[in-house]
């Protein structure tokens, strides 16, 4: 029996159990994917449990960075980003991966969002780091903006990017909201409407609500847009492949997440 799970805090409203239930069922596998609420101080004990009883786990806020210290091996990508979102157990050893970065790129490709720079990443937190790493790796010119300037400057130096003021958004061809602005607040956007460029694309990593103000205004401006669900589905599908060697349909996982979100 395939035992999978999600560690994070909080995890009660996570869409991952619904996505992975679809993956298990559609591939005819018997297994479970449990959401296990894990505050940071409970992480060592949970990972010890994972070593004994789980094929693999996902990690979410606030554990993605802290987990690095507890694993036996970390992929170069996860090391570069400084965050692990997928753990695989093989013979009692724990291997750490990051599927957020490749999941983000695959979601863009699948959605027909052109990989054209300059790309402006709004936010230098965990998600901003993964997205900036992915875009830089794909060869784009990447700019970063963050509310706390020091954090943007530190990320720019670490990854070889440019930290820019928000006004430079007008010149970007790909805008990514990797801040928490808009999360559970349909009236909030990280970018004033007048700063959207005249052409290009905008992606919001926030998916609750699905149609954030950032995306609505980008669409009104005529930009191509993508919600946070395709990336969520792709990072999940890539994690599932790491655990099982089988690749579930990301569109089916996205639909399962959409239903769980109440947006069917
Ligand atoms: N779709 C997906 O698959 C996916 C994957 C990962 C994350 N996400 C989403 O991405 C978002 C960010 O997650 P995270 O893990 O990066 O969180 P995080 O590490 O806590 O970072 C939060 C980011 O939001 C910024 N921020 C918070 N409040 C702000 C405000 N009022 N004005 C401007 N900036 C503000 C922070 O700026 P400061 O540095 O100034 O505090 C920081 O850049 C969340 O909504 C999360 O759900 C989605």
């Amino acid at each position: 029996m395939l035992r999978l799970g999600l560690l994070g805090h909080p995890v009660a409203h996570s869409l991952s159990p619904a996505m992975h239930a679809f993956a298990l069922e559609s591939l005819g596998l018997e297994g479970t994917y449990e959401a296990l609420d894990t505050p940071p101080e409970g992480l060592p004990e949970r990972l010890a449990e994972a070593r004994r009883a789980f094929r693999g786990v996902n990690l979410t806020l606030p554990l993605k960075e802290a987990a690095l210290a507890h694993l036996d091996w970390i992929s170069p990508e996860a090391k570069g980003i400084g965050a692990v979102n997928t753990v695989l157990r093989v013979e009692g050893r724990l291997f750490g991966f990051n599927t957020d970065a490749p999941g983000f790129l695959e979601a863009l490709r699948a959605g027909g969002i052109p990989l054209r720079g300059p790309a402006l990443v709004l936010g230098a937190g965990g998600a901003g780091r993964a997205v900036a790493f992915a875009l830089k790796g794909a060869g784009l010119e990447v700019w970063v903006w963050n509310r706390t300037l020091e954090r943007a400057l530190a990320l720019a130096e670490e990854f070889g990017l440019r930290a820019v003021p928000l006004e430079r958004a007008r010149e970007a061809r790909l805008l990514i909201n990797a801040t928490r602005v808009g999360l559970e607040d349909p009236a909030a956007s990280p970018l004033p409407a007048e700063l959207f460029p005249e052409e290009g694309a905008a992606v919001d990593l926030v998916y609750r609500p699905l149609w954030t103000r950032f995306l609505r205004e980008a669409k009104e401006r005529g930009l191509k847009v993508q919600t946070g669900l395709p990336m969520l589905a792709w990072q999940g599908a890539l994690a599932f492949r790491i655990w099982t060697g089988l690749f579930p349909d990301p569109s089916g996982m996205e639909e399962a997440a959409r239903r769980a979100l109440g947006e069917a």
Side-chain angles (χ1 to χ4, degrees), residues 13-29:
H13 300 294
S14 169
L15 305 179
S16 292
M19 289 199 310
H20 288 284
F22 166 84
L24 287 163
E25 201 189 324
S26 63
L27 292 167
L29 298 175

Side-chain angles (χ1 to χ4, degrees), residues 22 76-77 83 100 166 183 189 216 218-219 232 242 252:
F22 166 84
E77 202 162 23
D100 281 332
L166 205 48
L183 184 63
S189 169
R216 284 185 276 121
K219 200 162 186 225
L232 185 75
I242 287 171

Side-chain angles (χ1 to χ4, degrees), residues 2 18 20 35 42 59 66 74 86 99 130 132 155 160 166 174-175 179-180 183 185 194 205 227 246 248-249 253:
L2 188 57
H20 288 284
L59 299 168
I74 297 155
T86 301
T99 66
L155 181 60
L166 205 48
L174 177 58
L175 296 170
T179 73
R180 302 175 68 85
L183 184 63
D185 184 357
E194 66 274 15
L205 301 200
T227 73
L246 300 173
D249 173 21
M253 290 180 85

Side-chain angles (χ1 to χ4, degrees), residues 74 150 208 216 240:
I74 297 155
E150 293 72 26
R208 207 187 296 266
R216 284 185 276 121
F240 198 89

Side-chain angles (χ1 to χ4, degrees), residues 61 64-65 100 122-129 145-149 151 177-181 183 190 204-207 227-233 235:
L61 274 176
K64 289 184 184 184
E65 291 85 16
D100 281 332
L122 306 173
R129 287 180 67 88
W145 171 87
N146 195 59
R147 174 181 62 176
T148 310
L149 176 63
R151 231 175 156 189
N177 176 29
T179 73
R180 302 175 68 85
V181 183
L183 184 63
D204 204 330
L205 301 200
V206 170
Y207 47 78
T227 73
L229 280 193
M231 172 181 173
L232 185 75
Q235 65 74 30

Side-chain angles (χ1 to χ4, degrees), residues 45-155:
E45 198 180 318
R46 248 334 166 212
L47 286 176
E49 194 185 339
R51 260 179 216 283
R52 290 191 303 271
F54 283 77
R55 170 80 64 88
V57 291
N58 277 139
L59 299 168
T60 187
L61 274 176
L63 308 176
K64 289 184 184 184
E65 291 85 16
L68 268 82
H70 302 280
L71 304 175
D72 301 302
W73 179 88
I74 297 155
S75 74
E77 202 162 23
K79 225 178 245 175
I81 297 164
V84 166
N85 79 327
T86 301
V87 175
L88 168 71
R89 182 193 62 150
V90 181
E91 293 172 358
R93 284 163 55 83
L94 297 181
F95 296 74
F97 301 85
N98 187 303
T99 66
D100 281 332
F104 171 72
L105 285 183
E106 291 300 335
L108 293 191
R109 290 198 182 104
I113 302 284
L115 269 174
R116 186 153 70 97
L120 174 59
V121 181
L122 306 173
R129 287 180 67 88
V131 163
F133 184 92
L135 292 170
K136 175 89 180 169
L140 269 70
E141 181 179 349
V142 183
W143 300 344
V144 60
W145 171 87
N146 195 59
R147 174 181 62 176
T148 310
L149 176 63
E150 293 72 26
R151 231 175 156 189
L153 291 171
L155 181 60

